[in-house]
Protein backbone atom coordinates (compact mmCIF):
# COMPACT_ATOMS: atom_id res chain seq x y z
CA UNK A 1 0.00 0.00 0.00
CA UNK A 2 1.33 3.43 -0.81
CA UNK A 3 1.72 6.04 1.89
CA UNK A 4 2.57 3.48 4.54
CA UNK A 5 5.43 4.26 6.89
CA UNK A 6 8.28 1.76 6.96
CA UNK A 7 9.13 0.56 10.44
CA UNK A 8 11.09 -2.24 12.09
CA UNK A 9 8.53 -3.91 14.35
CA UNK A 10 4.80 -3.64 14.95
CA UNK A 11 3.33 -5.30 18.04
CA UNK A 12 -0.44 -5.36 17.62
CA UNK A 13 -3.75 -6.77 18.86
CA UNK A 14 -2.91 -6.48 22.56
CA UNK A 15 -6.08 -6.87 24.64
CA UNK A 16 -4.75 -4.00 26.74
CA UNK A 17 -1.71 -1.89 25.90
CA UNK A 18 -0.63 -0.04 29.02
CA UNK A 19 1.19 3.13 27.95
CA UNK A 20 1.83 4.72 31.39
CA UNK A 21 2.08 7.93 29.37
CA UNK A 22 2.34 11.37 30.93
CA UNK A 23 5.34 11.22 33.27
CA UNK A 24 5.84 10.23 36.91
CA UNK A 25 2.62 9.85 38.90
CA UNK A 26 2.35 11.49 42.31
CA UNK A 27 -0.15 10.88 45.07
CA UNK A 28 -3.69 10.14 43.93
CA UNK A 29 -2.61 10.12 40.26
CA UNK A 30 -0.71 6.85 40.86
CA UNK A 31 -2.24 4.06 38.79
CA UNK A 32 -2.98 6.03 35.59
CA UNK A 33 -2.22 3.28 33.10
CA UNK A 34 -3.25 4.95 29.81
CA UNK A 35 -4.89 1.77 28.51
CA UNK A 36 -5.41 1.31 24.77
CA UNK A 37 -7.71 -1.62 23.97
CA UNK A 38 -6.68 -3.72 20.99
CA UNK A 39 -3.51 -1.66 21.18
CA UNK A 40 -0.42 -1.56 19.03
CA UNK A 41 3.06 -0.11 19.21
CA UNK A 42 5.25 0.74 16.21
CA UNK A 43 9.01 0.58 16.78
CA UNK A 44 11.92 1.89 14.73
CA UNK A 45 15.64 2.10 15.57
CA UNK A 46 14.97 0.81 19.06
CA UNK A 47 12.48 3.54 19.88
CA UNK A 48 8.70 3.81 20.06
CA UNK A 49 7.38 5.65 17.00
CA UNK A 50 3.70 5.56 17.84
CA UNK A 51 1.19 3.80 20.09
CA UNK A 52 -2.51 3.55 19.30
CA UNK A 53 -5.36 1.26 18.26
CA UNK A 54 -4.21 -1.72 16.18
CA UNK A 55 -6.66 -0.95 13.43
CA UNK A 56 -5.11 2.47 12.90
CA UNK A 57 -1.45 1.51 13.26
CA UNK A 58 -1.78 -1.51 10.95
CA UNK A 59 -2.95 0.84 8.22
CA UNK A 60 -0.22 3.36 8.88
CA UNK A 61 2.88 1.21 9.28
CA UNK A 62 4.50 -1.45 7.15
CA UNK A 63 6.81 -3.34 9.53
CA UNK A 64 9.71 -5.70 8.75
CA UNK A 65 8.50 -7.82 11.66
CA UNK A 66 5.15 -8.11 13.36
CA UNK A 67 4.09 -9.68 16.63
CA UNK A 68 0.45 -10.57 17.03
CA UNK A 69 -0.09 -10.13 20.78
CA UNK A 70 -3.34 -12.10 20.39
CA UNK A 71 -5.32 -10.87 23.33
CA UNK A 72 -2.35 -10.48 25.65
CA UNK A 73 -1.23 -7.55 27.79
CA UNK A 74 1.56 -5.28 26.59
CA UNK A 75 3.24 -2.91 29.04
CA UNK A 76 6.60 -1.18 29.53
CA UNK A 77 9.40 -3.40 30.82
CA UNK A 78 9.80 -3.23 34.59
CA UNK A 79 12.37 -0.87 36.03
CA UNK A 80 13.98 -2.38 39.14
CA UNK A 81 15.10 0.81 40.91
CA UNK A 82 17.05 -0.69 43.83
CA UNK A 83 19.28 -3.74 43.72
CA UNK A 84 22.52 -4.99 45.23
CA UNK A 85 22.97 -7.25 42.19
CA UNK A 86 26.77 -7.60 42.30
CA UNK A 87 28.14 -9.80 45.07
CA UNK A 88 30.00 -13.07 45.59
CA UNK A 89 28.75 -16.12 47.49
CA UNK A 90 25.53 -16.76 49.38
CA UNK A 91 24.29 -16.65 52.98
CA UNK A 92 22.24 -19.79 53.30
CA UNK A 93 23.38 -20.56 56.87
CA UNK A 94 22.36 -17.06 57.96
CA UNK A 95 18.93 -17.64 56.45
CA UNK A 96 18.57 -20.79 58.51
CA UNK A 97 19.66 -18.85 61.63
CA UNK A 98 17.08 -16.16 60.93
CA UNK A 99 14.35 -18.73 60.48
CA UNK A 100 15.35 -20.08 63.88
CA UNK A 101 14.96 -16.60 65.40
CA UNK A 102 18.24 -14.69 64.93
CA UNK A 103 17.91 -10.97 64.20
CA UNK A 104 19.26 -9.41 60.97
CA UNK A 105 21.06 -6.48 62.60
CA UNK A 106 22.46 -8.67 65.40
CA UNK A 107 23.90 -11.06 62.81
CA UNK A 108 25.59 -8.06 61.19
CA UNK A 109 26.94 -6.76 64.50
CA UNK A 110 28.47 -10.21 65.07
CA UNK A 111 30.40 -9.91 61.79
CA UNK A 112 27.90 -11.75 59.57
CA UNK A 113 25.27 -10.35 57.25
CA UNK A 114 26.63 -7.71 54.88
CA UNK A 115 30.15 -8.31 56.28
CA UNK A 116 30.02 -12.01 55.37
CA UNK A 117 29.33 -11.03 51.77
CA UNK A 118 32.10 -8.41 51.97
CA UNK A 119 34.65 -11.13 52.85
CA UNK A 120 33.71 -13.12 49.74
CA UNK A 121 33.37 -10.11 47.45
CA UNK A 122 36.77 -8.66 48.41
CA UNK A 123 38.59 -11.76 47.19
CA UNK A 124 36.57 -12.15 43.97
CA UNK A 125 37.93 -10.97 40.63
CA UNK A 126 35.84 -8.76 38.37
CA UNK A 127 35.27 -11.75 36.09
CA UNK A 128 34.09 -13.85 39.01
CA UNK A 129 31.68 -11.11 40.16
CA UNK A 130 30.32 -10.84 36.63
CA UNK A 131 29.93 -14.60 36.30
CA UNK A 132 27.98 -14.82 39.57
CA UNK A 133 25.71 -11.87 38.75
CA UNK A 134 24.83 -12.87 35.18
CA UNK A 135 22.34 -15.64 36.05
CA UNK A 136 20.51 -13.20 38.31
CA UNK A 137 20.23 -10.74 35.42
CA UNK A 138 18.97 -13.50 33.12
CA UNK A 139 16.32 -14.39 35.66
CA UNK A 140 15.30 -10.73 36.06
CA UNK A 141 15.01 -10.36 32.28
CA UNK A 142 12.89 -13.49 32.03
CA UNK A 143 10.58 -11.92 34.63
CA UNK A 144 10.22 -8.73 32.60
CA UNK A 145 12.86 -6.35 33.99
CA UNK A 146 14.47 -4.22 31.26
CA UNK A 147 16.24 -1.55 33.37
CA UNK A 148 17.92 -1.98 36.73
CA UNK A 149 19.78 0.09 39.28
CA UNK A 150 22.81 -1.75 40.74
CA UNK A 151 24.72 -0.81 43.88
CA UNK A 152 28.27 -1.55 44.93
CA UNK A 153 28.73 -1.87 48.68
CA UNK A 154 30.27 -5.28 49.36
CA UNK A 155 33.84 -4.04 48.86
CA UNK A 156 34.05 -1.32 51.51
CA UNK A 157 37.61 -0.47 50.46
CA UNK A 158 38.52 1.65 47.47
CA UNK A 159 39.98 -1.02 45.20
CA UNK A 160 37.21 -3.56 45.86
CA UNK A 161 34.49 -0.93 45.36
CA UNK A 162 36.05 0.05 42.03
CA UNK A 163 36.13 -3.64 41.00
CA UNK A 164 32.38 -3.78 41.60
CA UNK A 165 31.86 -0.68 39.48
CA UNK A 166 33.96 -2.28 36.74
CA UNK A 167 31.81 -5.40 37.06
CA UNK A 168 28.63 -3.34 36.67
CA UNK A 169 29.95 -1.78 33.45
CA UNK A 170 30.89 -5.25 32.11
CA UNK A 171 27.49 -6.65 33.01
CA UNK A 172 25.77 -3.72 31.34
CA UNK A 173 27.57 -4.52 28.09
CA UNK A 174 27.08 -8.30 28.39
CA UNK A 175 23.28 -8.60 28.39
CA UNK A 176 20.09 -6.69 27.48
CA UNK A 177 19.05 -5.08 30.80
CA UNK A 178 20.24 -1.45 31.04
CA UNK A 179 22.13 -0.98 34.30
CA UNK A 180 22.27 2.28 36.27
CA UNK A 181 25.16 2.19 38.78
CA UNK A 182 25.23 3.41 42.37
CA UNK A 183 28.28 3.72 44.62
CA UNK A 184 27.37 2.42 48.09
CA UNK A 185 30.77 2.50 49.82
CA UNK A 186 28.79 3.56 52.90
CA UNK A 187 26.86 0.25 53.18
CA UNK A 188 28.50 -0.90 56.46
CA UNK A 189 31.67 -0.37 58.47
CA UNK A 190 34.39 -2.81 57.39
CA UNK A 191 36.17 -4.77 60.16
CA UNK A 192 39.26 -2.48 59.97
CA UNK A 193 37.05 0.40 61.07
CA UNK A 194 34.72 -1.38 63.50
CA UNK A 195 35.90 0.96 66.28
CA UNK A 196 36.32 4.06 64.14
CA UNK A 197 33.10 4.85 62.34
CA UNK A 198 34.05 8.50 61.86
CA UNK A 199 37.35 7.36 60.38
CA UNK A 200 35.58 5.24 57.78
CA UNK A 201 33.15 8.07 57.04
CA UNK A 202 36.18 10.26 56.43
CA UNK A 203 37.72 7.59 54.16
CA UNK A 204 34.54 7.52 52.07
CA UNK A 205 34.54 11.33 51.79
CA UNK A 206 38.24 12.03 51.31
CA UNK A 207 39.41 8.98 49.37
CA UNK A 208 36.60 6.89 47.88
CA UNK A 209 34.33 9.56 46.41
CA UNK A 210 37.13 11.36 44.54
CA UNK A 211 38.54 7.97 43.45
CA UNK A 212 35.13 6.93 42.07
CA UNK A 213 34.76 10.21 40.22
CA UNK A 214 38.21 9.91 38.65
CA UNK A 215 37.84 6.21 37.83
CA UNK A 216 34.49 6.91 36.22
CA UNK A 217 35.87 9.70 34.06
CA UNK A 218 38.65 7.36 32.89
CA UNK A 219 36.58 4.21 32.35
CA UNK A 220 32.94 4.97 31.65
CA UNK A 221 33.15 7.07 28.48
CA UNK A 222 30.63 9.85 28.65
CA UNK A 223 28.20 8.09 31.00
CA UNK A 224 26.78 10.25 33.73
CA UNK A 225 28.19 9.75 37.22
CA UNK A 226 26.80 6.92 39.39
CA UNK A 227 24.42 7.68 42.22
CA UNK A 228 25.89 7.81 45.72
CA UNK A 229 23.89 6.03 48.43
CA UNK A 230 24.30 5.62 52.23
CA UNK A 231 22.80 3.06 54.64
CA UNK A 232 21.47 5.45 57.32
CA UNK A 233 20.41 3.24 60.23
CA UNK A 234 20.98 2.54 63.91
CA UNK A 235 24.35 0.75 64.17
CA UNK A 236 25.35 1.78 60.65
CA UNK A 237 25.73 5.38 59.41
CA UNK A 238 24.24 8.01 61.71
CA UNK A 239 22.22 10.85 60.19
CA UNK A 240 25.23 13.15 60.74
CA UNK A 241 27.63 10.73 59.00
CA UNK A 242 25.09 10.13 56.21
CA UNK A 243 24.67 13.85 55.67
CA UNK A 244 28.43 14.37 55.57
CA UNK A 245 28.87 11.71 52.87
CA UNK A 246 25.91 12.88 50.79
CA UNK A 247 26.94 16.55 50.98
CA UNK A 248 30.47 15.67 49.91
CA UNK A 249 29.09 13.54 47.06
CA UNK A 250 26.82 16.35 45.96
CA UNK A 251 29.72 18.80 45.95
CA UNK A 252 31.57 16.40 43.63
CA UNK A 253 28.58 16.30 41.26
CA UNK A 254 27.06 12.91 42.15
CA UNK A 255 23.26 12.43 42.19
CA UNK A 256 22.03 11.05 45.53
CA UNK A 257 20.07 8.20 47.10
CA UNK A 258 19.67 6.98 50.67
CA UNK A 259 18.69 3.80 52.55
CA UNK A 260 16.47 5.26 55.27
CA UNK A 261 14.03 4.15 57.97
CA UNK A 262 14.35 0.39 57.30
CA UNK A 263 14.43 -0.43 61.02
CA UNK A 264 14.40 2.97 62.77
CA UNK A 265 13.12 6.36 61.65
CA UNK A 266 16.25 8.46 62.16
CA UNK A 267 15.58 11.36 59.83
CA UNK A 268 17.41 10.04 56.76
CA UNK A 269 14.42 10.72 54.54
CA UNK A 270 14.35 14.36 55.66
CA UNK A 271 18.05 14.68 54.79
CA UNK A 272 17.39 13.17 51.36
CA UNK A 273 14.59 15.65 50.68
CA UNK A 274 16.66 18.56 51.93
CA UNK A 275 19.57 17.65 49.64
CA UNK A 276 17.30 17.02 46.65
CA UNK A 277 18.15 13.30 46.47
CA UNK A 278 16.65 11.45 43.52
CA UNK A 279 15.19 8.80 45.84
CA UNK A 280 14.84 7.70 49.47
CA UNK A 281 14.50 3.94 49.82
CA UNK A 282 12.99 1.40 52.29
CA UNK A 283 10.92 3.93 54.36
CA UNK A 284 9.22 1.48 56.71
CA UNK A 285 9.50 3.57 59.89
CA UNK A 286 9.48 7.04 58.33
CA UNK A 287 8.31 9.75 60.75
CA UNK A 288 5.15 11.66 59.68
CA UNK A 289 7.04 14.93 59.15
CA UNK A 290 9.38 13.19 56.71
CA UNK A 291 6.42 11.69 54.83
CA UNK A 292 4.97 15.20 54.55
CA UNK A 293 8.34 16.49 53.31
CA UNK A 294 8.49 13.76 50.67
CA UNK A 295 5.09 14.85 49.39
CA UNK A 296 6.37 18.36 48.81
CA UNK A 297 9.49 17.17 47.00
CA UNK A 298 10.65 15.50 43.81
CA UNK A 299 12.44 12.78 45.81
CA UNK A 300 10.93 9.40 44.90
CA UNK A 301 9.95 7.08 47.79
CA UNK A 302 11.15 3.59 46.84
CA UNK A 303 9.35 0.83 48.74
CA UNK A 304 11.12 -2.54 48.97
CA UNK A 305 8.54 -5.03 50.25
CA UNK A 306 10.83 -8.03 49.70
CA UNK A 307 12.91 -6.76 52.60
CA UNK A 308 10.29 -7.02 55.40
CA UNK A 309 8.86 -10.10 53.67
CA UNK A 310 12.31 -11.69 53.55
CA UNK A 311 12.81 -10.96 57.24
CA UNK A 312 9.26 -12.07 58.07
CA UNK A 313 8.54 -8.71 59.64
CA UNK A 314 5.10 -7.29 60.19
CA UNK A 315 5.65 -3.72 59.05
CA UNK A 316 5.90 -2.46 55.50
CA UNK A 317 6.27 0.96 53.86
CA UNK A 318 3.21 3.11 54.68
CA UNK A 319 2.45 3.54 50.99
CA UNK A 320 -1.02 4.95 51.45
CA UNK A 321 0.25 7.67 53.80
CA UNK A 322 2.96 8.55 51.26
CA UNK A 323 0.32 8.81 48.52
CA UNK A 324 -2.01 10.84 50.73
CA UNK A 325 0.90 13.24 51.30
CA UNK A 326 1.21 13.47 47.47
CA UNK A 327 4.51 11.59 47.29
CA UNK A 328 5.95 9.81 44.25
CA UNK A 329 6.01 6.10 45.10
CA UNK A 330 8.11 3.44 43.36
CA UNK A 331 8.65 -0.29 43.93
CA UNK A 332 11.85 -2.33 43.60
CA UNK A 333 13.22 -5.74 44.59
CA UNK A 334 16.20 -4.76 46.81
CA UNK A 335 17.76 -7.92 45.35
CA UNK A 336 20.61 -8.85 47.73
CA UNK A 337 22.21 -11.94 49.28
CA UNK A 338 20.63 -11.29 52.70
CA UNK A 339 16.94 -10.67 53.29
CA UNK A 340 15.84 -10.35 49.67
CA UNK A 341 17.33 -12.59 47.00
CA UNK A 342 14.50 -11.96 44.57
CA UNK A 343 14.84 -11.19 40.87
CA UNK A 344 11.12 -10.89 40.12
CA UNK A 345 9.35 -7.54 39.95
CA UNK A 346 6.12 -9.52 39.51
CA UNK A 347 6.57 -10.89 43.02
CA UNK A 348 7.23 -7.34 44.28
CA UNK A 349 3.89 -6.26 42.76
CA UNK A 350 2.14 -9.15 44.50
CA UNK A 351 3.63 -8.05 47.83
CA UNK A 352 2.85 -4.40 47.10
CA UNK A 353 -0.81 -5.16 46.50
CA UNK A 354 -1.15 -7.13 49.72
CA UNK A 355 1.09 -5.38 52.26
CA UNK A 356 1.22 -1.83 50.88
CA UNK A 357 -2.44 -2.07 49.85
CA UNK A 358 -1.77 -0.85 46.34
CA UNK A 359 -4.16 -1.64 43.52
CA UNK A 360 -2.60 -3.58 40.62
CA UNK A 361 -2.70 -0.37 38.56
CA UNK A 362 -0.85 1.56 41.28
CA UNK A 363 1.72 -1.20 41.67
CA UNK A 364 2.33 -1.29 37.89
CA UNK A 365 2.90 2.47 37.71
CA UNK A 366 5.19 2.29 40.76
CA UNK A 367 7.25 -0.41 39.01
CA UNK A 368 7.54 1.33 35.64
CA UNK A 369 7.29 5.11 35.17
CA UNK A 370 7.84 6.03 38.82
CA UNK A 371 10.68 3.54 39.14
CA UNK A 372 12.27 5.16 36.09
CA UNK A 373 12.03 8.51 37.91
CA UNK A 374 13.73 6.91 40.94
CA UNK A 375 16.83 6.27 38.82
CA UNK A 376 16.72 9.50 36.85
CA UNK A 377 15.57 7.77 33.64
CA UNK A 378 11.92 8.83 33.31
CA UNK A 379 12.73 10.63 30.06
CA UNK A 380 13.96 7.41 28.41
CA UNK A 381 12.12 4.40 29.89
CA UNK A 382 9.14 3.41 32.03
CA UNK A 383 6.35 4.23 29.57
CA UNK A 384 5.38 3.54 25.96
CA UNK A 385 5.37 6.92 24.27
CA UNK A 386 6.79 8.21 20.99
CA UNK A 387 10.52 8.81 21.32
CA UNK A 388 11.09 6.55 24.30
CA UNK A 389 13.15 3.39 24.28
CA UNK A 390 11.11 0.43 23.01
CA UNK A 391 11.36 -1.71 26.17
CA UNK A 392 8.22 -3.77 26.58
CA UNK A 393 6.86 -7.05 27.78
CA UNK A 394 3.99 -9.25 26.64
CA UNK A 395 2.12 -11.02 29.41
CA UNK A 396 0.19 -14.25 29.02
CA UNK A 397 -2.99 -12.75 30.48
CA UNK A 398 -5.89 -10.77 29.07
CA UNK A 399 -6.41 -8.37 32.01
CA UNK A 400 -3.58 -6.36 33.60
CA UNK A 401 -4.90 -7.16 37.09
CA UNK A 402 -3.43 -10.64 36.77
CA UNK A 403 -0.27 -8.75 37.83
CA UNK A 404 -0.45 -8.60 41.59
CA UNK A 405 -3.26 -11.13 41.74
CA UNK A 406 -1.06 -14.07 40.75
CA UNK A 407 2.31 -14.75 42.37
CA UNK A 408 5.11 -17.28 42.47
CA UNK A 409 5.03 -17.87 38.73
CA UNK A 410 5.96 -15.87 35.66
CA UNK A 411 3.41 -14.26 33.33
CA UNK A 412 6.01 -12.87 30.91
CA UNK A 413 5.96 -14.47 27.45
CA UNK A 414 8.02 -12.03 25.39
CA UNK A 415 10.55 -9.33 26.33
CA UNK A 416 11.48 -6.64 23.80
CA UNK A 417 14.50 -4.50 24.65
CA UNK A 418 15.30 -1.41 22.58
CA UNK A 419 13.18 -2.87 19.76
CA UNK A 420 14.75 -6.35 19.77
CA UNK A 421 12.98 -9.48 20.89
CA UNK A 422 15.47 -10.65 23.52
CA UNK A 423 13.42 -13.34 25.18
CA UNK A 424 10.51 -15.64 24.39
CA UNK A 425 9.21 -17.80 27.18
CA UNK A 426 6.75 -19.58 24.86
CA UNK A 427 6.27 -19.75 21.12
CA UNK A 428 4.32 -16.63 20.21
CA UNK A 429 4.43 -15.65 16.59
O1 LIG B 1 18.89 -2.80 51.36
N1 LIG B 1 19.79 -2.52 54.23
C1 LIG B 1 20.92 -2.61 53.75
N2 LIG B 1 21.30 -3.30 52.71
C2 LIG B 1 20.53 -4.28 52.05
C3 LIG B 1 20.76 -5.63 52.56
C4 LIG B 1 22.09 -6.07 52.16
C5 LIG B 1 22.53 -7.40 52.71
O2 LIG B 1 22.01 -7.90 53.72
O3 LIG B 1 23.45 -7.95 52.09
C6 LIG B 1 19.11 -3.84 51.98
O4 LIG B 1 18.20 -4.47 52.52
FE1 LIG C 1 19.13 -1.99 49.70
Amino acid sequence: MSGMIETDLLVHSAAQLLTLAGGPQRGSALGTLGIIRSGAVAIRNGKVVEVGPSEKLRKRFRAKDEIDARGRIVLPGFVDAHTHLIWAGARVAEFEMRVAGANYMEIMEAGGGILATVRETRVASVDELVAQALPRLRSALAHGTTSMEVKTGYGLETAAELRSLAGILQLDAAQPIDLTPTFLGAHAFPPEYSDDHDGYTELVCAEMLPAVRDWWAANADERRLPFVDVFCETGVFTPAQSRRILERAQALGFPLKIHADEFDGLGGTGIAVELGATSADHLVHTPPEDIAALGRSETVAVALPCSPFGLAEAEYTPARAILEADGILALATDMNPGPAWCESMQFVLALGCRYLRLTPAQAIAAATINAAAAIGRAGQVGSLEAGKQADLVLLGASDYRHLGYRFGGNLVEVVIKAGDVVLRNTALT
Side-chain angles (χ1 to χ4, degrees):
M1 250 192 290
S2 63
M4 287 182 86
I5 304 167
E6 303 282 337
T7 197
D8 297 332
L9 177 63
L10 186 71
V11 180
H12 64 82
S13 308
Q16 301 171 333
L17 180 108
L18 315 184
T19 65
L20 281 301
Q25 301 178 4
R26 31 181 356 129
S28 58
L30 186 68
T32 312
L33 298 178
I35 300 179
I36 301 173
R37 285 176 206 285
S38 188
V41 50
I43 296 164
R44 188 170 52 231
N45 294 333
K47 299 245 167 79
V48 173
V49 181
E50 192 172 324
V51 293
S54 293
E55 212 183 318
K56 180 176 161 206
L57 265 62
R58 291 183 85 180
K59 287 187 191 133
R60 240 166 111 69
F61 291 95
R62 181 173 26 234
K64 289 190 199 104
D65 284 307
E66 289 198 4
I67 294 178
D68 181 347
R70 281 189 297 173
R72 289 168 169 76
I73 302 298
V74 172
L75 75 159
F78 296 119
V79 177
D80 191 346
H82 180 137
T83 85
H84 302 257
L85 169 82
I86 188 156
W87 76 79
R91 306 206 313 251
V92 286
E94 174 192 314
F95 171 64
E96 220 169 33
M97 284 164 67
R98 277 196 276 109
V99 170
N103 168 281
Y104 175 70
M105 292 305 272
E106 284 164 17
I107 291 171
M108 178 154 128
E109 276 150 32
I114 293 172
L115 296 177
T117 301
V118 168
R119 284 191 287 280
E120 295 200 66
T121 303
R122 279 182 169 181
V123 297
S125 66
V126 175
D127 287 349
E128 184 56 27
L129 291 172
V130 166
Q132 291 199 29
L134 261 177
R136 303 193 272 268
L137 280 166
R138 291 207 185 93
S139 171
L141 184 73
H143 288 87
T145 296
T146 49
S147 296
M148 187 189 284
E149 184 261 12
V150 181
K151 302 173 197 299
T152 69
Y154 295 111
L156 308 185
E157 61 191 8
T158 306
E161 285 291 312
L162 294 179
R163 278 201 301 282
S164 287
L165 277 179
I168 295 169
L169 288 179
Q170 272 192 34
L171 286 162
D172 188 42
Q175 52 74 55
I177 299 177
D178 279 332
L179 303 184
T180 296
T182 293
F183 169 70
L184 180 57
H187 193 194
F189 295 105
E192 319 80 91
Y193 285 90
S194 59
D195 298 323
D196 185 12
H197 291 187
D198 281 334
Y200 185 69
T201 302
E202 188 53 32
L203 185 80
V204 172
C205 290
E207 182 183 302
M208 290 190 181
L209 289 173
V212 168
R213 190 194 51 178
D214 294 348
W215 187 91
W216 199 254
N219 293 280
D221 300 324
E222 299 293 290
R223 287 178 67 134
R224 103 192 150 163
L225 277 172
F227 286 97
V228 168
D229 192 347
V230 180
F231 188 11
C232 178
E233 190 57 61
T234 306
V236 200
F237 293 82
T238 64
Q241 290 162 341
S242 302
R243 175 189 287 279
R244 186 164 151 55
I245 290 165
L246 293 175
E247 283 181 347
R248 179 80 185 117
Q250 188 160 56
L252 290 169
F254 292 97
L256 309 179
K257 288 179 169 286
I258 194 166
H259 278 67
D261 314 325
E262 182 178 358
F263 301 107
D264 287 317
L266 300 181
T269 298
I271 294 171
V273 169
E274 189 192 318
L275 297 180
T278 306
S279 75
D281 303 33
H282 281 290
L283 312 188
V284 177
H285 300 279
T286 309
E289 62 272 23
D290 284 0
I291 291 180
L294 269 175
R296 295 187 300 265
S297 79
E298 297 299 315
T299 300
V300 179
V302 181
L304 306 166
C306 286
S307 161
F309 176 81
L311 294 170
E313 287 183 349
E315 285 191 69
Y316 285 76
T317 301
R320 285 184 165 188
I322 291 170
L323 296 178
E324 273 158 29
D326 208 29
I328 309 169
L329 182 80
L331 286 170
T333 59
D334 196 22
M335 188 204 305
N336 68 63
W341 190 330
C342 172
E343 293 104 349
S344 169
M345 286 295 288
Q346 293 173 65
F347 185 64
V348 173
L349 300 196
L351 293 178
C353 290
R354 286 162 187 76
Y355 296 108
L356 278 63
R357 310 204 64 79
L358 300 174
T359 64
Q362 289 176 321
I364 290 168
T368 53
I369 186 62
N370 282 11
I375 60 169
R377 301 256 304 148
Q380 293 79 42
V381 299
S383 65
L384 301 177
E385 293 175 90
K388 279 193 144 180
Q389 198 160 287
D391 295 356
L392 47 136
V393 298
L394 272 69
L395 299 183
S398 58
D399 184 307
Y400 72 82
R401 290 170 295 188
H402 282 266
L403 280 173
Y405 166 46
R406 289 159 69 175
F407 59 93
N410 185 9
L411 296 173
V412 168
E413 293 193 344
V414 179
V415 181
I416 295 172
K417 176 68 198 179
D420 292 325
V421 175
V422 290
L423 187 126
R424 282 179 196 272
N425 283 336
T426 61
L428 263 187
T429 48

